[in-house]
Amino acid sequence: MVTLQEVKQYLRIDFEEDDTLLLSLISTAKQLVMDVGRMDEERFSENEDVVRTAMLYTVSYLYENRNTADFSKLTLTLRAMLFAQREGVM
């Protein structure tokens, strides 16, 4: 859904030292978005725009706050972003 290049462009990173970390964060973001949005792979693919935004936000938050991340705050933000998908509105 979200590639390493997209994430690096979004974060304005132009070096390769953090590529392994970013790939790990992309994987974590996907799982968090699926869990919080109560999505399986099919629903994940159907909601591409919202999922892409949620994943970029998650990767950005985890990258920029890697030492002080507040997972409660992150989860609440994701719930708000994915509310329509969670409740079957969309």
Side-chain angles (χ1 to χ4, degrees), residues 37-71:
R38 299 178 183 159
M39 298 179 195
D40 56 15
E41 288 286 340
E42 182 180 339
R43 289 201 55 209
F44 183 82
S45 297
E46 290 172 358
N47 295 293
E48 185 174 344
D49 293 337
V50 174
V51 165
R52 174 173 265 104
T53 301
M55 284 188 65
L56 288 171
Y57 172 80
T58 302
V59 171
S60 173
Y61 182 85
L62 293 173
Y63 183 76
E64 293 174 359
N65 298 286
R66 53 188 169 267
N67 295 323
T68 59
D70 180 346
F71 291 99

